[in-house]
Amino acid sequence: MTEIVQLGLLVLTGICIYAGITHLLLALHRQSNVSQLLFAGLCLLMMPFSISHILIYQAANEREFIQALNWNLSVLCLFLGLFPWFIARHTGKQPLPLLIGLSTLFALLFMVNLSQPYSLQYHHFDGIRTLQLPWGELVTRGIGDSGAWTYLTIATVFMVFGYALYAIGERYRRERRGTDLAMLFGVGVFLLASIQGILVRLSVIDFIELGPFGYLLMVIIMSAAYSRELQLHLQNSERRFRSLVEQSPFSIQLLSPDGFTRQVNPAWEKLWGVKVEGLASYNILQDRQLAEKGVMPYFEKSFTGETAVIPPIIYNPVVNRIAQEPSRDRWIQGYIYPIKDLAGTITDVVLMHEDVTDKKRVEDALRLIAAGVSAETGEAFFQQLTLNLAKLFDAEYAFIGELEEKTVARINTLAVCAHGQTAADFSYPLAGTPCANVMGQITCAYPRGVQQLFPEDQLLVEMGIEGYIGTPLFDAQGQPLGLIVVLDNKPLEHIEQVQEILEIFAARASAELQRLRAETHIRRMAYYDYLTGLASRAHLHEYLSQMLREVKLGKEIGVLLLIDLDHFKNINDVLSHDVGDEVLRAVARRLDKVVAERGFVARMGGDEFVVLQRICTSNLQVAEEMARELAHQILEKLLSPLYVGDRAFNLGASIGVVLFPENGEGELDIMRHADMALYRAKHLGRGNIQFYTLEMHDTATSRLLLEDGLRRAIGNGELELYFQAQVDINGQCIGAEALLRWHHSELGDIAPEAFIPIAEETGLIHTIGRWVLDQACSKFAAWRTAGALFSGHLSVNVCPWQFSRPDFVEQVRHVLTKYRIDPGRLMLELTETALLLDLDEAIEKLTVLRKQGIKVSMDDFGTGYSSLAYLRDLPLDQIKIDKSFVLELSSAVEHPLIESMIAIGKHMNLPVIAEGVETEVQRDILTHFGCENFQGFLFCRPVPERDFLKWLAGP
């Protein structure tokens, strides 16, 4: 009996091998076609799948059957793991999570299949049996029960086919391609055959598996579909390629390996005026002109297998007997490359020509343009541009004109070229000239007869102009700047080319003109104050540097006046900055009027002005008198009423004056000395004039030294607290005041009167104030721990700046909590100045402090306003009479002021303490007036902590 099943499987194997090799070659030939490569892999996998089926059907015993079944299912796992990737690549539906999941699942099934004793198909294997097919052929079948792995495999198979049918169906619905329809049919047949095979393996159907034959049918259908698609693709590619060649603007010539022409495109025939039939005897490798031009090495290179680019050469068609049109010389650039077959043999050589004649002419023109728009700037640039412009167009005249800003009806030339030479600039009105049509509009060209068109333009007549072309210049916002004009006494030729190049020149000229205007504007902004129009700080420094050099050379004397307006801040704060700006402009006008031509006026910024004047004398005394007179004139002018709108202002000023070079050899020295003199003038009172002296320098140097030392004082441990006792009328200690002392490592002891103002001006007072409060409370806590004989309060001075800080109350609260101090034993001493900076805020802060138990004393009572009105509102615990009043006490005179102060305290139920008590007479007078508390040298001097504790302990 013929073995039909085995023979069919062998035929299936052969067909799949053929299909696999075919599609593999197609995939390798077309490197980007991955779907072909995957399909080839599926076909080749069917070979071991079919052979394993043959071995199953021929198995003589159980071992051979199970071994063949293992190989069969392993190959099936590989096949089904690869099949979804093929579908995904072909259809473009690539759900990576699904594809990776299926591949992972089949890899797992592959390993399980090899590890199971009876493969994936059987959970329990009972043996084999022989099945006789209807046509008499005998095949071996297995007997056993299927397990969970079997059903997992079946479920996974259906997932694969479900995805394949969905993906191919979606592509067919989207593109309606016959290939996809055929593949959909093939996969459907394969699915039906696979279902039959599954039923056979589950012993539901007692027959052979038709799955391999279903796949064979799918392969045949898919291969036919792929072949058809490939054929159509090749036809379309050939059609597109032929259209590309025939419609290409490049001249294309197909050459045989021996140099004869096989084919040309219409562009080649149009370029050379020859039909392909006329090239039968022409061999390009024997072209004498090409050999003379040095082109043959490029041909030799390409005819041996390399691609080459032939640089532009001048090719004269007249010399070539086959070329009929055109007769003029041309610049030709070539591209030559070989075409090889699969074996690497050169079958054809493609030569592409490009006519670059116009391109070369443009390049030549651009070289002249580059010369015309060179790196020169300013006047030299415009002159060079007109010279090159006239040369480029072989014209007699060319000029660049700028629109006059004031009249906007007149042109002022920036550069003129006449007869190849730079000529003098001129100016002319636009009305009645061709330039009127150009200005701010478009390029206008009058190749001939321009005089007849514009008879009112006398300039055209005088110059004998026949041809005219002009193009406008615009800025970045499209506003007209000027124009460029080319004129000739003969008609202008090639007007279109002239126009294009002229517009290139115009663009570059516009950029340069804008750059010059921007440079002028920037210099104006940098050198002149935008508000007042006076010279700026930068201009001042440049002028001062130049003036310093001149006075040194001329042995003259220069004077610099630094002027600061008095109370100008009040104008800004009360009347707004707009009014303040108007005042500054009015002041600038007055200064400029006073100085006039005699000197130089600048605004430093804010409300500071500078006046510079050169005095033609070497006599310092004369120069000082003249400088003083100028300062008084300025001061007098500024003191007179100044009107802004309907308001009148009476401004004053402080003026610092410095003479140079005697008092400063450098520009920075002069400015610094003027600033010192101004500082001194303001310090002595408003409306003051001060000349710089060497003493000011010494004072400033000393102050700078103190400021620098003060910044490092805390870190260096140079600050220390002294303590001075406060006693009652019986001499008993009721408290102590913490007093700050500074011992400089080089300068020694420095009085608080010397460094406290510096600390306040530099802002260091905040750091120092926090340090004093913290140190005072720290020592107070230590006294308590050590059992010191101190039961009174500790007074700590608070400066106005420290008290005005928003976090001052929190600072005090934090320190008290940190050192666990009874708030009732801390007395904060504040001056009237500190309390009256913002009375409402002061009352609010003091109320919060006193609610926490902290006491508040008004220090230096009597030196400020001492108004009963605010004393009534301020929550105070004590008032302290300043020592300046106590020092004046004597038995020889009456002292109603101190008596009144003590009376005020009693009237308001506020304890009064007098500081600075040094004699018994002072104490007795104060006692007589009713004062019961004292502080001063008579009782205890300010001493370090250890000495104060000894004083407390007594003798």
Side-chain angles (χ1 to χ4, degrees), residues 297 450 578 663 708:
V450 67
D578 290 338
N663 289 321
D708 186 57

Side-chain angles (χ1 to χ4, degrees), residues 469-627:
I469 182 170
T471 191
L473 306 180
F474 296 101
D475 64 12
Q477 287 72 42
Q479 297 301 313
L481 295 173
L483 75 172
I484 293 182
V485 175
V486 175
L487 311 99
D488 204 358
N489 49 23
K490 60 182 182 298
L492 292 174
E493 301 292 340
H494 309 295
I495 201 67
E496 291 183 0
Q497 184 179 5
V498 172
Q499 177 176 333
E500 292 176 357
I501 296 176
L502 191 64
E503 288 173 354
I504 296 175
F505 276 75
R508 177 64 179 91
S510 297
E512 178 62 17
L513 190 54
Q514 288 181 84
R515 189 193 68 79
L516 289 176
R517 288 190 174 186
E519 187 178 272
T520 302
H521 179 65
I522 291 171
R523 181 175 179 83
R524 175 81 185 170
M525 292 178 62
Y527 279 77
Y528 292 91
D529 177 52
Y530 75 97
L531 182 63
T532 63
L534 296 177
S536 66
R537 181 191 292 265
H539 196 178
L540 167 67
H541 285 290
E542 184 178 282
Y543 189 89
L544 176 58
S545 180
Q546 178 183 349
M547 184 175 176
L548 183 59
R549 290 193 299 269
E550 292 175 354
V551 296
K552 285 181 179 179
L553 292 174
K555 295 183 179 181
E556 298 172 333
I557 295 177
V559 58
L560 185 146
L561 289 78
L562 183 56
I563 305 163
D564 183 81
L565 302 181
D566 291 341
H567 309 299
F568 178 74
K569 184 176 183 300
N570 295 336
I571 297 176
N572 275 338
D573 293 344
V574 177
L575 300 177
S576 82
H577 286 274
D578 290 338
V579 175
D581 290 347
E582 289 299 326
V583 170
L584 290 175
R585 292 189 188 98
V587 169
R589 289 192 293 270
R590 286 197 173 181
L591 289 175
D592 200 38
K593 188 174 182 180
V594 171
V595 177
E597 302 297 327
R598 295 184 293 169
F600 175 88
V601 184
R603 181 185 175 215
M604 287 287 288
D607 60 344
E608 284 191 347
F609 296 85
V610 169
V611 172
L612 273 172
Q613 185 175 356
R614 184 192 301 179
I615 301 175
C616 301
T617 181
S618 58
N619 189 307
L620 188 60
Q621 186 175 358
V622 173
E624 185 173 334
E625 287 300 322
M626 294 179 69

Side-chain angles (χ1 to χ4, degrees), residues 850-880:
R850 294 185 76 246
K851 281 183 179 180
Q852 297 177 5
I854 301 166
K855 296 180 179 180
V856 180
S857 172
M858 177 178 284
D859 195 12
D860 299 338
F861 183 67
T863 60
Y865 296 95
S866 302
S867 170
L868 291 176
Y870 74 74
L871 281 176
R872 178 192 60 203
D873 297 331
L874 287 170
L876 298 172
D877 296 285
Q878 182 189 78
I879 56 177
K880 195 171 187 181

